[in-house]
Amino acid sequence: MSARPVLLSCDSIAKQFGARPLFVGLSFGLFEGDRVGLIGPNGAGKSTLMKILAGIEETDSGTRSVRKGLRVGYVPQDPVFDGDLSAEQVLVEALAGLPLEEYEKPVMAAIALGKLGFLDPDQPAGTLSGGWQKRLAIARELVREPDVLLLDEPTNHLDLEGILELEGLLVSEPRAFVVASHDRYFLENVARRMIELDRVYPEGLLQVEGTYSDLLEKRDEVRKNQAEYQESLANRARREMEWLRRGPKARTTKSKSRIQEANRLIGELGEIEQRTVESTASIDFAASGRKTKRLLIATGVSKRYGDHTVLDGIDLLIRPGTRLGLLGANGSGKTTLLSLLAGLIEPDEGEIERAPFLKVVLFEQSRETLDRNLTLRRALAPEGDAVVHQGREIHVAAWAKRFLFRTEQLETPVSRLSGGEQARILIARLMLKPADLLILDEPTNDLDIATLEVLEESLLEFPGGLVLVTHDRYLLDRVSTEILALDGKGGTRTFADVAQWQEQKDTVEFSKPARPGDRGSQAPAAKATPVPPAKSSAKRLTFAEQKEWDRIEKDILAADEVLRQSEEAVADPKVASNAAELATRCTALDAARAKTERLYARWAELEAKRGG
């Protein structure tokens, strides 16, 4: 498939767990400079294949060949560390056995940690969040400078900032890599060769030189050709079956040959039909049918943890049809806001008014409500052998099938199910609860692309309110009617879509509400579907814009003062000979000048809108 030197290859490999083979007869190679994206349905064996490529898992048959001296790096879905080691020590330990001087190891560790955004190399690994542990796992492999880097679901637990940084890192790195992921934007941006692992293909996989979107085009073409071939084969097999039923005498060589051909056709058709049976999860969130126009109103909601203000003066109005996406770095307050809206915790300031008897359904990122000691049967149907969905009783086996579980899995403990399967259990539970308001905290983790597409359609059809936290940019863009970004310091900002957030996140200022007695100037908080205000004389401005107009002159005066101070700081002769300090002050001056220009431009926009 490529004229480039082969780094690693697989020839007719197979792997089976229990009675069901994951894959059989897979053959492909990885080449110098390869940037491969790997996709496939849950249960296709992507993680197992990655472990085989890494040399961690053995094949049942076939061979894995590696170029002599090749160094392979592998980042698992759920990395494990010695929690007592610091981030730097984790990387230094990873360099053990390599031909390096001892003084080189801390330097290499510091460089790798810097690439992944670590500010404190002495922080114990055990105190890191899931997102930062994933960053540490990637740094642990990068520091070894592998020839091939294998990453299994690297975007899970990363916030959007982390995903964007990882994209930039992979695009800039010359090494070959394979990334198994369900993040469609991520795959489109980093992969230049795609492999889809799926038993529907005769060879067990589909390979395409190109991006994820190129794969989608090729997949449609291949499956259309397969369907046409299957239909032709079925017609030929039907004719041969009719001939066999007439009972031909098998005395001649010609008759015997035709009987053998008929049996071959029937066998091939049966194999294709078995292989091409495709199943997708059936997701359909039940709405309560409530006609209330306002489901939830949050006014001036704030939340602090100790001296740290996470949310400050949030105003929200959620109606039926509102689909609000939340963005922000890990620890910025997304889960806190969801918990406030769900009524799990109370705000320190402000008020949350809910419609009477509001039915809220919450999907938790941590999955703590899922008892892993239960069998799949009990997790899906706690009360017996049936569930009631939309007024209809459904047997647990049929209910399990809707979420791609096999009947023989019903007695399997939840702890032995994959992350994607556990996520499907939680979604199945949510579907049994009629809801006015869906609150979903990272529901996409571990779900395959086919299930994600079904989830998207269900959320688009849900008539109630929705508040969604996800790092899946495609899902956010497709489902959300607006996006509220949090900065973790109480500031908020609304955006129309992810692209606008990505373009403006480093240039716009996240705003906080002004409070009596505040000094200086602050722009008002951007409001997601704000509570309608009392009538204003500035009738052409929205509620948020009117508050912004009321303070923008003070903001401009403050920005002008900062700009003046920055200009004086750069002109100070004391720093003329200090290149580093001068560069820092010039950067601050550029930022102050850009902010002042933005404020003047915004003032002109608002002035024109007021008709003044």
Side-chain angles (χ1 to χ4, degrees):
M1 196 170 185
S2 174
R4 291 167 290 162
V6 178
L7 301 177
L8 188 157
S9 64
C10 294
D11 183 23
S12 297
I13 63 171
K15 191 66 180 181
Q16 181 168 328
F17 292 109
R20 288 172 61 90
L22 284 177
F23 43 78
V24 178
L26 293 186
S27 297
F28 62 93
L30 299 176
F31 308 94
E32 281 190 1
D34 248 347
R35 297 177 175 182
V36 179
L38 175 65
I39 66 170
N42 289 143
K46 299 186 298 296
S47 292
T48 301
L49 179 59
M50 294 288 273
K51 290 176 183 176
I52 289 172
L53 294 177
I56 297 171
E57 190 90 44
E58 293 292 328
T59 63
D60 293 337
S61 61
T63 57
R64 166 187 177 268
S65 303
V66 179
R67 191 174 74 180
K68 186 177 180 181
L70 187 80
R71 190 177 296 166
V72 178
Y74 169 65
V75 179
Q77 282 195 43
D78 299 304
V80 177
F81 305 99
D82 182 340
D84 295 330
L85 294 181
S86 69
E88 181 182 13
Q89 288 170 335
V90 167
L91 268 61
V92 169
E93 189 176 82
L95 292 169
L98 295 183
L100 297 168
E101 298 292 341
E102 285 304 312
Y103 73 86
E104 294 180 283
K105 295 178 181 178
V107 175
M108 293 176 67
I111 293 172
L113 290 172
K115 286 183 179 180
L116 273 299
F118 280 84
L119 298 177
D120 182 9
D122 296 322
Q123 184 172 357
T127 65
L128 296 173
S129 66
W132 283 101
Q133 288 202 358
K134 183 60 69 76
R135 289 178 185 239
L136 182 58
I138 296 169
R140 180 171 62 182
E141 298 308 317
L142 286 180
V143 76
R144 293 173 52 83
E145 298 181 347
D147 303 296
V148 176
L149 182 61
L150 308 173
L151 303 107
D152 193 0
E153 297 290 1
T155 64
N156 274 5
H157 308 296
L158 287 182
D159 54 34
L160 275 184
E161 290 279 6
I163 293 173
L164 293 174
E165 289 172 10
L166 179 58
E167 281 183 6
L169 183 64
L170 290 178
V171 169
S172 65
E173 286 285 332
R175 76 192 78 242
F177 64 78
V178 181
V179 54
S181 178
H182 63 261
D183 188 320
R184 289 155 287 184
Y185 278 176
F186 180 74
L187 289 168
E188 182 73 17
N189 292 338
V190 304
R192 292 299 172 263
R193 179 180 164 210
M194 290 296 305
I195 296 177
E196 182 175 18
L197 188 64
D198 197 325
R199 62 196 300 269
V200 302
Y201 302 114
E203 297 177 352
L205 52 77
L206 175 65
Q207 301 187 64
V208 174
E209 290 286 351
T211 63
Y212 174 71
S213 53
D214 293 326
L215 172 73
L216 296 182
E217 292 181 14
K218 183 64 175 178
R219 176 205 282 169
D220 288 343
E221 177 188 337
V222 168
R223 294 195 179 184
K224 180 182 177 182
N225 292 340
Q226 281 188 184
E228 291 174 353
Y229 177 70
Q230 185 175 346
E231 183 178 358
S232 170
L233 191 63
N235 290 333
R236 290 166 56 197
R238 188 162 44 248
R239 289 195 298 269
E240 295 304 310
M241 285 290 292
E242 291 171 357
W243 179 78
L244 287 172
R245 289 193 188 101
R246 291 199 295 268
K249 294 179 180 180
R251 291 185 230 170
T252 66
T253 302
K254 185 175 180 181
S255 295
K256 289 179 181 179
S257 174
R258 186 166 179 182
I259 290 171
Q260 290 172 353
E261 176 63 10
N263 288 330
R264 187 194 69 77
L265 287 174
I266 294 166
E268 184 181 356
L269 179 62
E271 179 188 343
I272 290 176
E273 288 176 343
Q274 183 180 19
R275 194 181 70 236
T276 56
V277 171
E278 292 190 72
S279 299
T280 56
S282 178
I283 300 174
D284 179 19
F285 292 108
S288 68
R290 175 191 288 271
K291 303 300 182 184
T292 311
K293 292 184 178 179
R294 298 184 180 186
L295 301 176
L296 183 148
I297 302 174
T299 308
V301 169
S302 299
K303 188 66 181 178
R304 290 180 295 276
Y305 294 105
D307 295 331
H308 179 52
T309 299
V310 179
L311 303 171
D312 192 6
I314 299 285
D315 291 350
L316 292 174
L317 169 60
I318 299 176
R319 310 173 185 267
T322 296
R323 297 195 297 271
L324 177 65
L326 298 184
L327 275 182
N330 291 334
S332 63
K334 301 187 298 295
T335 298
T336 296
L337 181 54
L338 295 188
S339 298
L340 286 165
L341 299 179
L344 300 180
I345 60 176
E346 294 297 322
D348 294 327
E349 295 177 13
E351 181 182 2
I352 298 177
E353 179 184 350
R354 299 175 181 86
F357 309 107
L358 183 73
K359 295 178 179 178
V360 179
V361 170
L362 172 67
F363 183 102
E364 330 164 78
Q365 179 183 178
S366 63
R367 304 176 187 172
E368 290 178 357
T369 59
L370 191 58
D371 186 344
R372 285 154 177 78
N373 295 317
L374 292 177
T375 61
L376 173 61
R377 178 190 298 274
R378 282 293 149 259
L380 290 174
E383 306 299 328
D385 284 334
V387 298
V388 177
H389 177 56
Q390 298 184 352
R392 186 166 63 93
E393 189 172 274
I394 303 174
H395 190 272
V396 65
W399 186 241
K401 190 175 180 180
R402 290 188 63 166
F403 300 93
L404 309 184
F405 294 110
R406 305 183 305 278
T407 302
E408 59 265 30
Q409 287 182 284
L410 287 174
E411 303 308 321
T412 303
V414 171
S415 60
R416 289 176 53 189
L417 298 175
S418 70
E421 289 170 327
Q422 291 182 17
R424 294 204 300 268
I425 293 173
L426 289 176
I427 291 173
R429 287 180 169 185
L430 297 189
M431 282 174 51
L432 297 176
K433 303 175 183 178
D436 304 310
L437 175 60
L438 285 177
I439 298 178
L440 307 180
D441 192 1
E442 295 289 4
T444 66
N445 279 350
D446 304 311
L447 293 181
D448 59 27
I449 292 174
T451 306
L452 281 175
E453 290 170 346
V454 176
L455 176 63
E456 286 162 9
E457 294 299 331
S458 178
L459 295 179
L460 286 169
E461 293 172 3
F462 180 68
L466 168 67
V467 183
L468 171 68
V469 171
T470 178
H471 61 261
D472 189 311
R473 288 163 288 175
Y474 187 88
L475 180 70
L476 272 178
D477 273 345
R478 183 140 190 257
V479 171
S480 301
T481 53
E482 59 186 325
I483 290 174
L484 179 68
L486 313 177
D487 67 357
K489 303 172 185 177
T492 58
R493 191 84 182 191
T494 51
F495 297 93
D497 53 29
V498 175
Q500 187 187 55
W501 167 81
Q502 198 168 332
E503 179 183 333
Q504 300 182 11
K505 63 185 175 66
D506 295 326
T507 56
V508 300
E509 186 172 341
F510 282 70
S511 52
K512 300 179 184 179
R515 300 183 180 281
D518 280 355
R519 294 188 176 183
S521 59
Q522 291 177 313
K527 311 297 181 188
T529 320
V531 180
K535 291 184 178 180
S536 167
S537 58
K539 295 180 180 179
R540 297 186 184 181
L541 298 182
T542 66
F543 175 59
E545 287 171 338
Q546 179 59 44
K547 291 186 71 177
E548 188 177 2
W549 173 258
D550 291 342
R551 298 201 57 86
I552 197 164
E553 290 188 14
K554 292 183 179 178
D555 290 349
I556 290 173
L557 289 173
D560 279 338
E561 177 60 22
V562 172
L563 177 60
R564 184 189 64 77
Q565 293 176 2
S566 298
E567 289 171 342
E568 290 180 354
V570 170
D572 187 350
K574 295 179 181 177
V575 299
S577 59
N578 188 334
E581 178 62 21
L582 183 59
T584 299
R585 296 190 183 191
C586 286
T587 300
L589 175 60
D590 290 341
R593 186 176 290 124
K595 180 179 178 180
T596 303
E597 290 172 355
R598 283 198 309 273
L599 284 170
Y600 274 109
R602 182 59 174 160
W603 177 84
E605 289 176 9
L606 294 174
E607 174 71 8
K609 196 168 184 180
R610 291 176 76 249

